[in-house]
Amino acid sequence: MKKSTLFVIVLLLSVLLVACQGDGQKLAEELHIYNWSEYIDPEVFTAFEEEYGVKVIEDTFSSNEELLAKIQAGATGYDLIVPSDYMVEIMIEEGLLAELDHANIANIANLSALFSDPPYDPGLVHCVPYQWGTTGIGYNSDEIEPDSWAYIFDPTMAAEYAGQITMLNDSRESIGAALKYLGYSLNTTDEAQLEEAKQVLLATKPYIYSYDSDQFEDLIAADEVIYGHGWSGDYFAAAVEDERIWYVIPEEGGVVWADNLCIPATSKNKSTAELFINFVLQPEIAAQITNFTWYGSPVEAANEFIDPEILEEPAIYPSAETMERLEWIQDVGEATPLYERIWTEVKAAGQ
Ligand code: SPD
């Protein structure tokens, strides 16, 4: 065989290898991900496309309930979704998630022990942890230094900052914060406790500027509000641009949560989606994501590439003592409609 013919054959084989995965399945041309907003460095999509020729197209949602409703309504165009812990449990129960082929995700071994066998998806059968964080209070440190949920829920304290406070537009998070203020579990199914939480939410509503899960940090930067209920990383990431912004876990405690990469049962590009999951589990890529989002990475091997400022921030990587004050949101089963009803009533009140 001529040298030039051999060269062409080798070239064609390499192109074929890049276009296929290890299991010989052809890669999709596009991958559609349904994600929280500002939750990945767009450069990660570019790097994936450069390496595998697969374009990643992102669409965003603002709450687990919005994600669930869309998938339940039959949205079939997504190959990857990013539900939180308790929502993974609900989606598994409803048969909405595909089972992962771990043979395509060798980098799953890079996960820290804490995230290798989560109670909401034992054995990581359906999902892989993506990022984790806490829910507390973000604030303009030139104006205030809140340390308790009372700044949001005590009517006298909230009245002082009327119209300058935000809350997440999220049923489990907002009812959960009110329950924490009252000293209850944020997973309670006790109707009397939930009624008390509803009254607390209704009492503070006149002082709330907006229920917002996408721009709560920007509203502080724009001097529209002074403090609010929100997710740790979004506030810390905003603090890079505006050093007045800071974040605290209230003394009564808050939420610790983990968001997860999962493949909807309807995806037609499962092995390409698994390739993407494997890609983001590489230590350098996982660190790149955390350096962008300011949320914790479940990939232990990423730590050496994460900015020390992030790694050493106790409100991002909390101490064991702080962890004891935090609670995971869990699926509350038959009490879910009650949570949703309370949230609808709170949102509708006074309109
Ligand atoms: N900007 C991305 C925020 C992701 C927040 N997900 C947390 C959900 C906790 N219930």
Side-chain angles (χ1 to χ4, degrees):
M1 189 185 301
K2 273 205 209 146
K3 253 190 181 164
S4 58
T5 319
L6 190 66
F7 176 76
V8 171
I9 291 174
V10 169
L11 195 71
L12 281 174
L13 278 175
S14 346
V15 169
L16 206 65
L17 266 177
V18 172
C20 295
Q21 272 204 263
D23 59 6
Q25 280 195 281
K26 201 172 176 314
L27 289 179
E29 280 174 24
E30 286 179 353
L31 208 53
H32 291 259
I33 181 168
Y34 194 31
N35 195 4
W36 301 85
S37 59
E38 295 169 64
Y39 211 22
I40 192 161
D41 181 350
E43 292 294 319
V44 170
F45 294 147
T46 312
F48 185 72
E49 185 173 357
E50 274 169 13
E51 190 155 342
Y52 295 105
V54 180
K55 190 172 173 55
V56 185
I57 295 156
E58 185 181 41
D59 195 2
T60 60
F61 60 86
S62 306
S63 74
N64 281 295
E65 287 64 32
E66 184 185 343
L67 161 67
L68 177 66
K70 188 135 183 188
I71 303 296
Q72 279 174 331
T76 53
Y78 298 117
D79 303 306
L80 283 161
I81 53 176
V82 195
S84 305
D85 32 60
Y86 73 99
M87 189 50 69
V88 167
E89 225 172 320
I90 294 173
M91 292 185 126
I92 293 174
E93 180 95 350
E94 296 201 11
L96 297 172
L97 303 180
E99 288 197 8
L100 300 177
D101 182 350
H102 285 207
N104 288 338
I105 315 176
N107 290 333
I108 220 163
N110 294 340
L111 287 171
S112 78
L114 188 66
F115 292 100
S116 294
D117 194 22
Y120 52 85
D121 181 26
L124 303 174
V125 173
H126 299 86
C127 304
V128 163
Y130 171 65
Q131 292 265 272
W132 66 281
T134 63
T135 314
I137 299 176
Y139 56 95
N140 176 342
S141 59
D142 278 359
E143 302 281 348
I144 202 168
E145 201 137 337
D147 56 3
S148 156
W149 289 116
Y151 280 81
I152 292 179
F153 297 119
D154 177 318
T156 317
M157 289 170 85
E160 247 189 86
Y161 298 95
Q164 297 176 91
I165 309 168
T166 59
M167 286 199 72
L168 287 173
N169 186 9
D170 187 302
S171 54
R172 292 300 309 272
E173 288 279 9
S174 290
I175 298 171
L179 287 165
K180 278 284 165 206
Y181 168 65
L182 292 166
Y184 301 138
S185 162
L186 49 78
N187 294 305
T188 188
T189 55
D190 180 308
E191 289 185 23
Q193 292 180 356
L194 284 163
E195 177 59 29
E196 262 187 83
K198 176 178 144 185
Q199 293 310 324
V200 160
L201 288 161
L202 287 172
T204 204
K205 186 169 181 187
Y207 313 122
I208 300 299
Y209 174 87
S210 64
Y211 296 100
D212 184 300
S213 300
D214 291 314
Q215 312 171 49
F216 49 86
E217 73 285 20
D218 301 331
L219 290 170
I220 297 182
D223 289 316
E224 292 286 332
V225 303
I226 293 180
Y227 60 97
H229 164 228
W231 295 308
S232 47
D234 286 67
Y235 285 120
F236 284 119
V240 175
E241 302 291 325
D242 184 339
E243 58 184 25
R244 300 171 307 159
I245 298 176
W246 209 239
Y247 168 86
V248 68
I249 296 169
E251 60 191 16
E252 302 90 342
V255 183
V256 55
W257 46 261
D259 294 330
N260 304 269
L261 288 167
C262 315
I263 304 176
T266 51
S267 167
K268 293 192 173 55
N269 303 310
K270 185 167 171 278
S271 57
T272 309
E274 286 165 342
L275 184 69
F276 183 80
I277 294 176
N278 199 48
F279 184 76
V280 300
L281 286 174
Q282 296 174 96
E284 286 94 334
I285 302 289
Q288 184 181 348
I289 294 171
T290 280
N291 290 334
F292 179 88
T293 63
W294 288 68
Y295 285 109
S297 173
V299 175
E300 192 157 17
N303 287 0
E304 62 175 300
F305 305 106
I306 293 177
D307 291 346
E309 211 185 336
I310 298 179
L311 221 45
E312 286 157 19
E313 173 49 56
I316 300 178
Y317 285 91
S319 66
E321 197 189 334
T322 307
M323 276 296 212
E324 282 187 13
R325 289 190 285 127
L326 301 173
E327 205 179 346
W328 293 85
I329 298 179
Q330 289 164 4
D331 175 17
V332 287
E334 288 176 3
T336 302
L338 177 56
Y339 274 81
E340 292 313 310
R341 196 172 70 233
I342 289 175
W343 188 236
T344 306
E345 286 170 10
V346 170
K347 294 283 297 293
Q351 286 186 337

